[in-house]
């Protein structure tokens, strides 16, 4: 497939890096900002204006199967997509970063259709939605929805003294309609079995129905001395993401403080939300102490500067804030921030990159979610008609994987060992990134199927 990427920032680079191995990728970027990073990829780079018809023609946009506009200028991205579409590009993707730009009722599908663009993507709004989903579940490190919300995934760090740590899993009466799909212990990933003993500090990943997952969380993963969580948040950074998170938490009836350094932005935002808006530097320890930020149940650091977000987060941790959610847009910072003790690290780039890549690359279209910075995935598969009916307790996949749910007709099954897989079932499989291809082969190629 021929892919033309117009834009030179980190999003364009990471999309190109994800696609270059399996597709013919061309990069078009302004000469003044061309990045040497693209030279390390197996792709052609052309320097010039992304909206100039002659440059698009030189880049052979007319023969492109996919055109992705991801400059930092929203107007340029729209114009580039319209020009690419008229010059013959088969599919166009437009990434918009400015708050509220052409945003009518948050209906981007209608916007895309009216412009003749196949898909409009807003990274900041996707990031805000992720943060709201995580923050509103007390203590959660990650929350994902599947099957229109009928199946959810919860990641949580097990507390000291939690009931789940007292006996092996087979000796515990864990809630029905939940399934532990992974433990992360340091850098080690473990598929839980009956004999597995969970330790305090382990990161537990579970799939199931939401009511059952909440039961698991409150009865088994928390300390018996855990106090009731306050519903209060401090947000540092009143950009697109910060304001959207504030609105979402207000709707969930949280008490919110928003800290922003820019006077004009403070005045603007104060008229848009009900929360308290404070003008000041979120990295000012005196300000944080004066405003009793240490009493917040969560701090969300979402400025557009990774280093400042880290500093704010470490100060909040010093003040005793129990949960920290931090934005880190540079790929190298995502893992590093977690290693220095940040609870949840999210990027505005991650969701958009996954969205674009999975839409372009059919081999990745089954990926519904990535966790642990891409180390593990949730993929959706349909079992072929030749798949033998097999009990899960007899299933021996040769990969790091487990079946998290079964969708059969209109029913959702959160499986136990007594359940079976049948031809035509749609299954959600939790697996490692390195084993994703072998996992697909195991479930989708019955001729290679082996049940020991």
């Amino acid at each position: 497939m021929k892919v033309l990427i117009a834009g030179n920032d980190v999003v364009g680079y990471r999309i190109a890096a994800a696609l270059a191995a399996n597709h013919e990728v061309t990069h078009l970027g302004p000469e003044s900002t061309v990045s040497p990073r693209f030279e390390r990829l197996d792709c052609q780079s052309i320097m010039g204006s992304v909206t100039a018809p002659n440059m698009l023609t030189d880049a052979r946009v007319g023969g492109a199967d996919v055109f992705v506009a991801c400059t930092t200028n929203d107007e340029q991205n729209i114009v580039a997509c319209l020009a690419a579409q008229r010059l013959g590009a088969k599919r166009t993707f437009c990434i918009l970063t400015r708050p509220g730009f052409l945003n009518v009722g948050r209906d981007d599908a209608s916007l895309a259709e009216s412009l003749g663009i196949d898909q409009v993507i807003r990274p900041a709004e996707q990031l805000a939605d992720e943060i709201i989903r995580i923050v509103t579940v007390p203590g959660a490190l990650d929350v994902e929805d599947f099957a229109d919300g009928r199946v959810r995934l919860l990641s949580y760090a097990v507390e000291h003294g939690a009931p789940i740590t007292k006996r092996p899993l087979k000796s515990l009466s864990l809630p029905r309609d939940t399934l532990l799909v992974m433990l992360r212990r340091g850098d080690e990933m473990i598929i839980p079995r009956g004999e597995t003993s969970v330790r305090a500090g382990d990161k537990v990943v579970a799939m199931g129905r939401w009511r059952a997952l909440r039961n698991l969380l409150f009865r088994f993963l928390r300390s018996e001395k855990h106090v009731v969580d306050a519903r209060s948040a401090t947000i540092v950074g009143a950009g697109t993401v910060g304001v959207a998170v504030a609105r979402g938490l207000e709707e969930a009836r949280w008490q919110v403080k928003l800290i922003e350094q820019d006077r004009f932005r403070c005045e603007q935002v104060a008229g848009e939300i009900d929360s308290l808006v404070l003008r000041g530097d979120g990295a000012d320890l005196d300000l944080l102490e004066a405003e009793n930020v240490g009493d917040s149940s969560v701090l969300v650091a979402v400025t557009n500067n990774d280093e400042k977000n880290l500093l704010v987060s470490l100060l909040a941790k010093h003040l005793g804030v129990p949960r920290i959610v931090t934005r880190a847009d540079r790929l190298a910072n995502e893992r590093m921030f977690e290693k220095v003790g940040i609870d949840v690290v999210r990027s505005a780039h991650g969701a958009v990159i996954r969205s674009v890549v999975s839409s372009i690359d059919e081999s990745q279209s089954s990926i519904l979610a990535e966790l642990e910075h891409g180390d593990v995935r949730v993929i959706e598969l349909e079992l072929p008609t030749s798949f033998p009916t097999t009990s899960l307790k007899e299933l021996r996949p040769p990969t790091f994987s487990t079946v998290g749910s079964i969708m059969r007709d209109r029913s959702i099954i959160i499986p136990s060992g007594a359940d079976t897989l049948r031809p035509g079932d749609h299954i959600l499989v939790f697996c490692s990134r390195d084993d994703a291809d072998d996992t697909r082969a195991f479930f989708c190629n019955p001729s290679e199927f082996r049940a020991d």
Side-chain angles (χ1 to χ4, degrees):
M1 185 177 291
K2 296 181 179 180
V3 181
L4 176 56
I5 298 172
N8 195 47
D9 69 351
V10 66
V11 172
Y13 171 76
R14 287 175 63 178
I15 293 173
L19 297 173
N22 299 318
H23 303 278
E24 183 181 330
V25 176
T26 300
H27 162 242
L28 174 60
E31 184 173 3
S32 59
T33 60
V34 70
S35 171
R37 292 179 301 184
F38 284 90
E39 297 176 1
R40 299 194 291 267
L41 301 178
D42 183 17
C43 68
Q44 179 185 7
S45 285
I46 298 174
M47 294 177 289
S49 171
V50 301
T51 58
N54 64 315
M55 294 308 305
L56 291 170
T57 300
D58 289 346
R60 299 180 180 176
V61 69
D65 296 292
V66 176
F67 177 83
V68 181
C70 53
T71 75
T72 56
N73 183 298
D74 289 350
E75 288 89 349
Q76 277 191 350
N77 290 340
I78 288 177
V79 171
C81 281
L82 295 176
Q85 192 268 340
R86 293 185 180 229
L87 290 170
K90 294 182 177 64
R91 299 171 66 197
T92 52
F93 291 77
C94 183
I95 297 174
L96 301 179
T97 59
R98 207 159 74 229
F101 183 68
L102 294 181
N103 193 348
V104 181
R106 294 176 63 91
D107 187 358
D108 285 336
S110 296
L111 173 61
E113 183 179 0
S114 67
L115 294 173
I117 296 170
D118 290 279
Q119 192 168 345
V120 170
I121 302 169
R122 299 181 190 268
E125 292 183 5
Q126 289 187 349
L127 174 60
D129 289 343
E130 277 191 42
I131 291 174
I132 294 165
R133 194 168 63 237
I134 294 169
V135 168
T136 51
V137 178
L141 301 178
D142 205 345
V143 178
E144 300 283 350
D145 289 343
F146 310 106
D148 297 323
R150 293 187 294 165
V151 178
R152 301 187 81 177
L153 176 147
L154 170 69
S155 176
Y156 193 90
V158 177
E159 297 179 7
H160 289 278
I164 199 171
T165 64
K166 296 181 178 179
R167 296 193 300 274
L169 291 176
K170 64 182 179 182
S171 302
L172 297 169
S173 299
L174 297 180
R176 294 183 58 185
D177 290 332
T178 62
L179 178 68
L180 302 189
V181 293
M182 189 186 81
L183 300 179
R184 184 134 199 177
R185 184 171 295 158
D187 292 331
E188 183 183 9
M189 297 191 298
I190 303 167
I191 296 289
R193 309 295 182 193
E195 298 76 19
T196 302
S197 293
V198 179
R199 302 175 187 172
D202 285 351
K203 187 183 293 185
V204 168
V205 182
M207 294 179 67
R209 299 183 187 276
W210 186 233
R211 180 176 293 182
L213 285 177
R214 288 180 62 86
N215 192 7
L216 173 72
L217 168 61
F218 292 120
R219 288 183 51 208
F220 290 92
L221 305 183
R222 291 180 156 196
S223 164
E224 295 173 343
K225 298 179 180 180
H226 189 102
V227 297
V228 176
D229 295 280
R231 296 165 65 88
S232 61
T234 298
I235 301 170
V236 177
T240 310
V241 178
V243 173
V245 171
R247 287 190 178 121
L249 294 181
E250 286 177 352
E251 291 176 3
R253 299 185 178 181
W254 279 55
Q255 183 179 357
V256 179
K257 291 179 183 177
L258 183 60
I259 300 175
E260 169 59 43
Q261 195 165 11
D262 182 83
R263 179 188 297 275
F264 174 77
R265 184 61 177 162
C266 280
E267 294 173 352
Q268 183 182 38
V269 170
E272 297 177 0
I273 62 176
D274 297 327
S275 303
L276 177 63
V277 179
L278 301 170
R279 179 173 177 262
D281 183 354
D284 181 346
L285 182 58
D286 290 337
L287 171 66
L288 299 181
E289 289 178 330
E291 294 299 331
N292 299 315
V293 167
D295 295 335
S296 300
S297 56
V298 62
L299 179 132
V300 180
V302 285
T303 76
N304 59 5
N305 182 290
D306 284 9
E307 288 72 21
K308 182 163 186 176
N309 289 337
L310 177 60
L311 177 57
V312 170
S313 299
L314 293 176
L315 290 174
K317 207 163 190 65
H318 168 73
L319 292 174
V321 179
R323 188 160 57 136
I324 311 292
V325 179
T326 305
R327 175 178 180 172
D329 282 337
R330 286 204 295 279
L331 181 61
N333 287 342
E334 293 183 26
R335 293 179 185 272
M336 187 268 285
F337 283 17
E338 285 194 351
K339 286 187 179 295
V340 298
I342 307 305
D343 301 295
V344 180
V345 184
R346 284 294 180 272
S347 164
H349 299 153
V352 65
I353 292 164
R354 289 193 299 271
S355 177
V356 172
V357 171
S358 64
S359 296
I360 293 172
D361 192 336
E362 291 184 0
S363 68
Q364 300 194 49
S365 61
S366 62
I367 301 173
L368 300 187
E370 291 185 341
L371 295 85
E372 301 294 319
H373 308 296
D375 288 348
V376 290
R377 294 173 170 177
V378 177
I379 59 177
E380 181 178 2
L381 302 171
E382 181 179 2
L383 300 182
T385 56
S386 54
F387 191 92
T389 298
T390 307
S391 169
L392 282 172
K393 64 183 177 184
E394 298 173 352
L395 199 66
R396 298 291 186 271
T399 60
F400 184 93
S401 63
T402 187
V403 178
S405 72
I406 303 168
M407 292 165 281
R408 182 175 297 152
D409 299 324
R410 297 184 179 180
S411 300
I412 296 288
I413 301 169
I414 307 301
S416 65
D419 289 299
T420 59
L421 295 179
R422 302 177 186 173
D425 284 348
H426 286 258
I427 58 175
L428 298 183
V429 184
F430 187 92
C431 66
S432 72
R433 173 182 56 196
D434 294 340
D435 285 337
D437 290 340
D438 289 340
T439 298
R440 288 190 189 92
F442 177 79
F443 286 104
C444 297
N445 297 326
S447 61
E448 300 177 14
F449 178 86
R450 295 290 183 271
D452 298 328

